[in-house]
Amino acid sequence: MNSHEIDYEIYGEEMQYVEIELDPQEAVVAEAGSFMMMDNDIKMDTIFGDGSNQEKGVLGKIFSAGKRILTGESLFMTAFLNVGQNKRKVSFASPYPGKIVPIDLSENQGKFVCQKDAFLCAAKGVAVGVEFSKKLGRGLFGGEGFIMQKLEGDGMAFVHAGGTLARKDLAMGETLKVDTGCIVGFTQNVDYDIEFIGGIKNTIFGGEGLFFATLRGPGTVYIQSLPFSRLAGRVLAALPRRGNSKGEGSILGGLGDILDGDNRF
């Protein structure tokens, strides 16, 4: 095994966190900002990239870190190593409401493709790289552009899905049409492309964008009901304009806010 073998347990329903149990000298790498808590004897260290090319010297580290710039992530990741003599635990939390998805790369032919901000953490030795689109349509019109993340190795990795998670196991030639932003990830044999919705009314008045993704089996696909971009868009749309609230829930609008008695802040 190239990756460290780790045990884990996922807690919670809507705001989940994953607790990872490390044997002595085992380690896990995680995105900055995902750390929640850890036991004593866990040593935290900031590393270039994902730590999978540490044996290749300075150039290997720079190349590993440079790939992360293309996916919009930080140059650095954080490694958590158990330096004690007994098993210790470290936990990582979801960035927003949704589900944490455990991916055993040894059961997925050593590779899993996911959207750029889905990766949460993984066993030390899992390589977090980039997956370039070879199709012009997918690159120009897909929600993730030309670049997605790929997780490679033989260990455990954890990705995050917003809202409710749907898993679809596609048979050979079976096709699933999905909103481009709702894709969490898929196994490497799945064929991913972009298709024009079509129809003047659909295009102008549909409100669902001009394109959707087509995922063709065989393979497994993970779909999220609440992409972060959609959540952020709804929050921005609900922000007060020019210092005025939207008077939500009242036909009186701003006057209703004055009368409701809850204006302390």
Side-chain angles (χ1 to χ4, degrees):
M1 295 285 290
N2 295 321
S3 303
H4 293 191
E5 298 183 50
I6 59 175
D7 299 314
Y8 71 93
E9 188 167 355
I10 296 174
Y11 295 90
E13 294 297 331
E14 308 305 328
M15 286 295 293
Q16 294 186 327
Y17 72 93
V18 56
E19 181 182 77
I20 296 177
E21 184 178 75
L22 300 175
D23 292 332
Q25 298 306 308
E26 281 186 347
V28 61
V29 295
E31 288 287 2
S34 62
F35 168 71
M36 178 179 173
M37 60 182 175
M38 63 183 178
D39 291 339
N40 194 26
D41 292 331
I42 298 287
K43 179 183 178 182
M44 185 173 67
D45 188 25
T46 300
I47 58 175
F48 258 131
D50 53 35
S52 61
N53 290 321
Q54 300 301 298
E55 73 284 352
K56 295 183 180 180
V58 176
L59 290 179
K61 296 178 182 179
I62 293 176
F63 178 72
S64 176
K67 292 185 296 184
R68 293 178 52 75
I69 297 179
L70 297 176
T71 60
E73 304 292 346
S74 168
L75 279 172
F76 300 92
M77 295 183 73
T78 308
F80 297 83
L81 173 67
N82 181 4
V83 297
Q85 301 300 315
N86 300 303
K87 292 184 177 182
R88 292 290 184 263
K89 296 178 180 179
V90 57
S91 300
F92 304 95
S94 303
Y96 56 94
K99 301 294 182 183
I100 294 176
V101 188
I103 305 294
D104 189 344
L105 294 174
S106 65
E107 297 179 356
N108 289 279
Q109 299 178 310
K111 181 179 176 181
F112 185 80
V113 180
C114 61
Q115 63 170 306
K116 291 181 288 187
D117 59 352
F119 174 71
L120 187 66
C121 60
K124 183 72 176 294
V126 170
V128 183
V130 295
E131 179 79 2
F132 289 97
S133 173
K134 298 179 181 178
K135 297 182 179 181
L136 182 62
R138 170 180 160 187
L140 293 177
F141 306 113
E144 300 304 324
F146 283 97
I147 301 172
M148 297 182 75
Q149 276 189 331
K150 63 178 178 181
L151 309 176
E152 293 182 300
D154 52 9
M156 290 296 305
F158 301 87
V159 297
H160 179 260
T164 301
L165 176 72
R167 170 177 170 158
K168 299 292 184 180
D169 295 310
L170 304 179
M172 176 70 73
E174 184 179 0
T175 300
L176 183 67
K177 297 181 180 180
V178 185
D179 181 277
T180 55
C182 289
I183 299 173
V184 178
F186 45 85
T187 54
Q188 62 174 321
N189 290 332
V190 172
D191 180 60
Y192 170 39
D193 205 352
I194 296 298
E195 183 176 325
F196 180 61
I197 291 178
I200 296 178
K201 289 190 296 182
N202 291 334
T203 302
I204 299 177
F205 305 110
E208 299 296 338
L210 301 180
F211 303 89
F212 47 61
T214 57
L215 301 162
R216 184 171 292 104
T220 301
V221 178
Y222 293 92
I223 308 297
Q224 60 186 346
S225 66
L226 183 63
F228 181 72
S229 58
R230 184 177 297 177
L231 174 62
R234 294 296 179 89
V235 172
L236 289 175
L239 289 177
R241 298 291 190 270
R242 297 184 299 276
N244 299 321
S245 72
K246 296 183 65 175
E248 189 169 298
S250 171
I251 61 173
L252 299 178
L255 180 58
D257 290 338
I258 296 175
L259 299 177
D260 68 8
D262 187 16
N263 292 281
R264 292 169 295 175
F265 301 101

